[in-house]
Amino acid sequence: MRIKFFFFILVLFLLGLGGLLFHFVDKIHFMHLYIIEGLIAFILLYLIVFYRKIVKPMNTIGCGMELLREQDFSSRLSQVGQYEADRIVNIFNRMMEQLKNERLRLREQNHFLDLLIQASPMGVVITTLDGEVSQVNPMAVKMLGVRLEEVIDKPLDQVDSPLATELAVIPKDETAVVRLNDANIYKCTHSTFIDRGFKHPFFLIERMTEEVMRAEKRAYEKVIRMIAHEVNNTTAGITSTLDTVEQALSAEEGMDDICDVMRVCTERCFSMSRFITRFADVVKIPEPTLASVRLNDLVAMCKRFMEGMCNDRKISLRLECDPEIGSVRLDASLFEQVLVNIIKNAAESIDSFVGESGRRGEIIIRTVAPAYIEVIDNGSGISKEVEAKLFSPFFSTKPNGQGIGLVFIREVLIRHNCTFSLRTYNDGLTRFRIMFNA
């Protein structure tokens, strides 16, 4: 029970005692009555002093405890005129001022960190102790390629995103470089921070695509130029010599077979020169000349151009155009080559798979508003191991592939500021998706 309550019980007891004295006043000696009344008056005065010196300070300190419990750090206690109690009040007020300043500092710091996380060019994914995503900044949402509501309160391995799948397998306190099926490269760090005594996991995602691509491009440009220079110089000398020898031998009798061999060698040299020229063309991709082009018309023209090849291979080529799509700014000639290459790759994938399965091959070219192209095929598909290497220079899954087709596609789409991906989905269909960004 509180000391204030005991104090009032004592006051009531003394008042009751005074009342009894007045009731028996006739039976008490006059002198004794004055002594008793003086004693009661003294006790009452002492109680007043006791209240001011003990009860009131204790009540004030109790109010301070309530302020702490309610976390009201802006209120202060007033002094009560009692030395020991005022010392406690001063210490309490200083403590409340420090708590207020610390709380304000932490609030400002947390607000700054929130703003920093939201505006950071790096992706930040914070998870709970159970591994569920609790916070994602806008850059991470963009990198994951999903909507915010599709990732919050879910484990990373249940988010429909290739990057989320890669993040889920990175061990704690380790860093991994992840190359995805959309030609993007990320440096991902899995670490923890302390909050209320517990280690909370988080992921930092740094896009390295531009830096790696620039380094790759510098490397393969130098290699291709050197190889092209050497090959062209060598083949030019060889073909010139072969032509001279063939002309000299053609005048002789019985040299027809040797002349045929010379012509085959010459053609092979020209073939090698054309081969290396294709590599050099990747280095010399021109900057796109952008113009307003109706996307559906461009796709329909590419479909008509590739119909003959698909019919020869008994592949159904179908077009699904969204009439809501208008014009898009692009370089028509470069983009035609991109679509032709994508359809050609899809047809070759079907050739290697549909013959074994016995089903009819099918390619669907689909456009979706506002500006989105999707090329779908039911070919052999792409494994997870191959996905990460698709857009790497000189990588090819074809026996005679040169590994420059997807590099050409990548370079053109990047110069058009397009977002793209190539992936085989759970339904067994492979989709090459291209999205035009504003």
Side-chain angles (χ1 to χ4, degrees):
M1 300 177 70
R2 295 185 178 182
I3 190 170
K4 191 175 181 180
F5 179 74
F6 286 111
F7 175 79
F8 283 119
I9 290 177
L10 182 57
V11 171
L12 292 174
F13 174 74
L14 291 174
L15 291 175
L17 181 60
L20 286 175
L21 289 174
F22 279 107
H23 180 70
F24 297 106
V25 66
D26 296 335
K27 300 178 181 180
I28 300 175
H29 191 274
F30 185 74
M31 183 60 68
H32 290 168
L33 180 61
Y34 276 111
I35 294 173
I36 293 172
E37 286 180 351
L39 183 61
I40 292 174
F42 174 77
I43 293 174
L44 288 175
L45 290 174
Y46 181 79
L47 287 176
I48 292 172
V49 174
F50 181 82
Y51 178 80
R52 292 183 60 187
K53 298 296 184 180
I54 302 297
V55 178
K56 187 177 179 182
M58 292 297 293
N59 189 45
T60 301
I61 293 171
C63 292
M65 297 303 104
E66 290 295 322
L67 293 176
L68 279 177
R69 188 166 64 87
E70 298 295 332
Q71 297 187 5
D72 181 4
F73 301 142
S74 59
S75 300
R76 299 292 179 270
L77 299 180
S78 58
Q79 294 187 351
V80 295
Q82 204 274 335
Y83 178 73
E84 288 79 7
D86 287 345
R87 287 182 60 192
I88 296 175
V89 167
N90 290 334
I91 293 172
F92 178 85
N93 287 340
R94 285 200 303 269
M95 180 184 69
M96 294 291 278
E97 184 68 25
Q98 290 175 358
L99 288 173
K100 176 187 175 183
N101 293 336
E102 187 68 18
R103 189 179 194 181
L104 182 61
R105 186 184 68 81
L106 289 175
R107 185 177 296 171
E108 291 174 348
Q109 188 179 67
N110 288 336
H111 181 63
F112 172 73
L113 288 175
D114 285 340
L115 292 177
L116 189 63
I117 289 173
Q118 295 301 313
S120 173
M122 297 178 65
V124 181
V125 179
I126 301 175
T127 64
T128 64
L129 298 177
D130 296 326
E132 296 179 347
V133 177
S134 61
Q135 186 176 350
V136 186
N137 72 337
M139 182 55 68
V141 172
K142 182 178 179 180
M143 290 175 174
L144 291 170
V146 295
R147 295 192 301 272
L148 182 61
E149 56 270 20
E150 294 176 353
V151 66
I152 292 295
D153 297 330
K154 288 184 178 179
L156 282 169
D157 55 4
Q158 294 182 14
V159 178
D160 186 19
S161 165
L163 180 56
T165 303
E166 296 292 338
L167 290 176
V169 299
I170 298 176
K172 193 172 293 184
D173 299 323
E174 290 194 14
T175 299
V177 176
V178 176
R179 187 188 287 263
L180 297 182
N181 56 5
D182 56 359
N184 282 315
I185 303 167
Y186 300 98
K187 180 182 179 182
C188 305
T189 302
H190 185 186
S191 189
T192 57
F193 66 95
I194 304 295
D195 182 27
R196 300 174 187 176
F198 294 96
K199 288 186 176 182
H200 287 261
F202 72 97
F203 295 86
L204 288 179
I205 311 168
E206 181 181 1
R207 191 192 297 273
M208 300 175 60
T209 308
E210 292 78 10
E211 292 82 354
V212 173
M213 284 186 178
R214 280 197 294 267
E216 285 181 348
K217 191 172 182 181
R218 284 195 298 268
Y220 69 68
E221 279 181 354
K222 184 176 180 180
V223 171
I224 288 174
R225 287 195 182 100
M226 182 179 66
I227 294 175
H229 176 75
E230 294 298 328
V231 169
N232 288 333
N233 285 347
T234 302
T235 54
I238 293 174
T239 52
S240 176
T241 302
L242 289 173
D243 284 338
T244 302
V245 173
E246 182 189 352
Q247 290 174 8
L249 293 177
S250 61
E252 304 289 334
E253 293 183 1
M255 294 295 178
D256 292 341
D257 291 341
I258 296 178
C259 288
D260 288 340
V261 172
M262 294 292 184
R263 283 190 289 271
V264 170
C265 292
T266 302
E267 181 58 33
R268 180 57 186 155
C269 287
F270 284 129
S271 177
M272 182 179 295
S273 181
R274 288 192 296 270
F275 175 83
I276 199 63
T277 300
R278 290 193 62 195
F279 282 103
D281 289 341
V282 175
V283 177
K284 296 182 292 186
I285 296 175
E287 287 297 324
T289 303
L290 302 181
S292 184
V293 177
R294 291 187 59 84
L295 195 58
N296 284 341
D297 293 345
L298 178 68
V299 171
M301 184 172 61
C302 290
K303 187 251 183 185
R304 287 193 297 271
F305 178 74
M306 298 300 291
E307 272 181 334
M309 183 200 73
C310 290
N311 289 335
D312 292 342
R313 303 184 182 203
K314 296 182 173 54
I315 296 173
S316 169
L317 181 61
R318 187 154 49 93
L319 182 62
E320 297 177 1
C321 287
D322 187 340
E324 299 296 323
I325 290 185
S327 297
V328 178
R329 289 186 60 79
L330 52 80
D331 187 313
S333 60
L334 284 176
F335 218 84
E336 283 175 12
Q337 295 182 60
V338 167
L339 289 178
V340 167
N341 272 331
I342 293 173
I343 297 170
K344 180 173 174 291
N345 288 342
E348 291 173 350
S349 172
I350 290 173
D351 275 348
S352 65
F353 176 70
V354 171
E356 301 174 3
S357 64
R359 64 179 178 178
R360 182 176 176 80
E362 183 179 41
I363 299 174
I364 303 172
I365 310 172
R366 179 181 296 154
T367 62
V368 182
Y372 181 91
I373 302 175
E374 189 174 48
V375 180
I376 309 168
D377 71 78
N378 62 345
S380 57
I382 303 168
S383 67
K384 294 295 181 183
E385 293 75 16
V386 171
E387 271 187 12
K389 306 174 184 177
L390 282 175
F391 294 94
S392 301
F394 314 126
F395 173 80
S396 177
T397 57
K398 304 170 188 174
N400 299 316
Q402 300 170 17
I404 61 173
L406 287 178
V407 174
F408 171 80
I409 292 171
R410 182 191 76 179
E411 292 294 327
V412 173
L413 292 179
I414 288 176
R415 296 185 189 198
H416 280 80
N417 193 30
C418 292
T419 302
F420 56 95
S421 67
L422 175 56
R423 178 184 174 193
T424 299
Y425 290 78
N426 293 332
D427 56 6
L429 299 178
T430 301
R431 293 174 171 84
F432 200 122
R433 291 175 169 174
I434 304 172
M435 181 179 294
F436 290 86
N437 299 314

